[in-house]
Amino acid sequence: MEDKNIVVSGMRPTGRLHLGNYFGALSNFVKLQNEHKCFFFVADLHALTTAYDRTENLALNSKQMVIDWLAAGLDPKKCTIFVQSHVPEVSELATLLGMFTPLGWLLRNPTYKEQLNELIKKKYAGQEDKGAAQKIAMLAEQDLNEMASFGFLGYPVLMATDILIHKATYVPVGQDQIAHLEIARDIVRRFSDIYKSDALLEPKPLLTKIPKVPGLDGRKMSKSYGNTIELGEDLESVRKKVMAMFTDPNKKKANDPANPDGCAVFAFHKIYNKDFAKKEADCRAGACGCVACKKELFELMAVEIDAFNKRREAFAKDEAYLQQILKEGALKARESAAKTLSEVKKVMNIL
Ligand code: ADP
Ligand code: TRP
């Protein structure tokens, strides 16, 4: 029987991808391209919702992202790879969906306030030590209204559009995107209710086995926390980062028994080491020192990272191939997007 499932996902080109992006989402893209019809895109418009005044690296980051995807194993023969802004139908449908999306849903979006706080922290970085915490807090309150642009508040509407425009059944993302996906589902229900139409479908999230990859410090790996290992990072730099990783602070000597829960090194053994159960037992029994444990982890990571970096270098040299992929991808994505857009316009009685 023909597979009717459609998969859509995107990532914002706000910097280089990291292992959190890889194990939380990208590894799933690679698997899903063999199973369903897939659309994967560089969410450059979403990057603009926060970095509208720092666009100098936007085009480069977009290219780097596609190179990482190819090195990770995405194959343009098996899936459609494109840049969001190359599909103008997305912006048009987003305008229409925005007409009936209640403001309250967007203001309640948990990532809205979280990201806004990050923006404000960045703006006032370095001023915290001047005893001006209160003043900063006041300014921050004013900034909330100044910095939160229309586009930023509308982030979930645009994200819903990316998904709904291709009638996606599944959306592979990390844990942190679940709230956004819930808004997409709410938008579909509201659309169906108002226009009595089934032109839009409710998508479901797909998580990987590691939906929240920890960073070097044990918090969620994220660009904004500066705790990442980037895709394409050179081995020496990865080695230094692994050797400096956060471990159980109560373990003082190499042969002290320790608790691997919450240890970043162990979290990565779980990803890279087939025999992580033994590692866990050894750690609890005090049979393995942290330095040795880190060295072992690095050796395991190095094999995969080295192979990835070699593939990456080859793709990075072929600009023409990259352009061709994005051109063909945009054509295919536009064709799929145009169909849904015209259905929606029809049910909304647009002439
Ligand atoms: P960042 O937090 O570094 O800015 P993005 O928000 O651009 O990353 O994430 C792109 C994709 O990668 C999303 O699907 C997101 O859920 C996933 N992702 C990001 N960080 C992690 C992580 N630490 N663990 C699992 N998935 C992640
Ligand atoms: N919001 C996602 C992120 O920060 C990126 C994104 C934009 C996305 N549109 C999407 C993910 C559609 C899945 C489907 O990572």
Side-chain angles (χ1 to χ4, degrees):
M1 210 178 75
E2 199 203 342
D3 172 42
K4 290 266 190 301
N5 288 310
I6 294 175
V7 172
V8 171
S9 193
M11 291 185 187
R12 291 172 306 141
T14 46
R16 292 295 295 269
L17 292 185
H18 52 71
L19 293 179
N21 302 133
Y22 179 78
F23 290 109
L26 181 53
S27 58
N28 230 0
F29 295 7
V30 176
K31 177 172 142 278
L32 291 163
Q33 69 176 344
N34 298 311
E35 298 165 8
H36 308 299
K37 182 170 180 181
C38 293
F39 294 91
F40 299 121
F41 64 94
V42 177
D44 57 348
L45 297 176
H46 275 104
L48 285 175
T49 62
T50 48
Y52 54 83
D53 55 348
R54 283 167 282 129
T55 61
E56 58 282 358
N57 291 326
L58 186 61
L60 180 65
N61 286 342
S62 299
K63 277 191 200 171
Q64 299 283 22
M65 179 174 279
V66 179
I67 294 168
D68 280 333
W69 286 1
L70 296 173
L74 279 193
D75 178 351
K77 290 196 205 73
K78 295 181 180 170
C79 63
T80 301
I81 300 174
F82 63 99
V83 176
Q84 184 184 33
S85 64
H86 295 178
V87 181
E89 288 79 3
V90 167
S91 299
E92 194 174 344
L93 183 61
T95 302
L96 297 179
L97 302 189
M99 297 305 165
F100 59 84
T101 303
L103 196 54
W105 293 4
L106 303 177
L107 290 168
R108 274 197 301 275
N109 168 22
T111 51
Y112 171 67
K113 284 225 155 142
E114 233 169 72
Q115 289 207 29
L116 209 50
N117 283 334
E118 284 300 319
L119 276 180
I120 288 166
K121 256 198 247 156
K122 261 188 210 146
K123 184 168 172 190
Y124 293 109
Q127 296 185 29
E128 300 89 341
D129 55 340
K130 290 182 191 153
Q134 243 186 335
K135 201 169 131 220
I136 289 173
M138 259 171 58
L139 279 171
E141 189 60 40
Q142 289 168 14
D143 277 350
L144 271 175
N145 300 329
E146 281 305 309
M147 290 171 78
S149 69
F150 172 64
F152 184 50
L153 186 65
Y155 189 110
V157 180
L158 185 59
M159 177 159 163
T161 309
D162 293 324
I163 299 165
L164 307 180
I165 206 161
H166 300 295
K167 299 189 191 253
T169 37
Y170 294 123
V171 183
V173 280
Q175 183 77 50
D176 57 354
Q177 296 300 312
I178 298 295
H180 285 147
L181 218 61
E182 215 30 72
I183 300 181
R185 292 163 60 85
D186 288 341
I187 290 177
V188 175
R189 285 197 285 271
R190 193 164 163 93
F191 173 84
S192 309
D193 194 43
I194 298 173
Y195 302 103
K196 311 290 173 235
S197 158
D198 56 6
L200 301 180
L201 303 180
E202 277 186 55
K204 292 190 192 69
L206 279 183
L207 297 176
T208 66
K209 282 196 209 97
I210 323 159
K212 192 171 167 188
V213 180
L216 301 168
D217 55 0
R219 292 189 294 170
K220 185 195 109 160
M221 186 177 282
S222 172
K223 266 170 293 211
S224 29
Y225 296 153
N227 62 357
T228 64
I229 292 178
E230 290 176 347
L231 299 187
E233 192 162 326
D234 78 81
L235 278 181
E236 189 41 33
S237 158
V238 175
R239 195 185 63 77
K240 283 198 189 119
K241 286 185 176 176
V242 170
M243 295 313 289
M245 264 182 181
F246 177 92
T247 56
D248 180 355
N250 294 318
K251 178 165 167 136
K252 306 278 184 256
K253 292 198 301 293
N255 54 359
D256 281 348
N259 182 4
D261 306 328
C263 166
V265 181
F266 180 64
F268 278 91
H269 268 290
K270 265 187 165 165
I271 298 176
Y272 285 95
N273 192 340
K274 286 198 187 71
D275 210 1
F276 69 87
K278 181 172 182 314
K279 273 279 44 106
E280 177 167 8
D282 282 356
C283 177
R284 289 192 195 279
C288 179
C290 294
V291 174
C293 191
K294 287 174 176 177
K295 280 189 179 153
E296 194 183 335
L297 171 64
F298 173 70
E299 293 308 325
L300 291 168
M301 291 174 81
V303 179
E304 289 189 27
I305 291 176
D306 191 45
F308 178 94
N309 289 357
K310 290 202 169 100
R311 290 194 299 273
R312 192 183 196 289
E313 268 171 40
F315 286 118
K317 282 189 198 129
D318 202 344
E319 173 76 21
Y321 180 52
L322 194 72
Q323 294 299 343
Q324 184 202 334
I325 292 171
L326 295 181
K327 197 169 151 202
E328 286 171 9
L331 280 176
K332 278 200 242 164
R334 289 197 69 178
E335 194 184 314
S336 156
K339 281 191 201 141
T340 311
L341 177 62
S342 78
E343 277 179 64
V344 170
K345 282 168 106 171
K346 200 160 163 215
V347 300
M348 289 177 84
N349 289 317
I350 289 175
L351 193 62

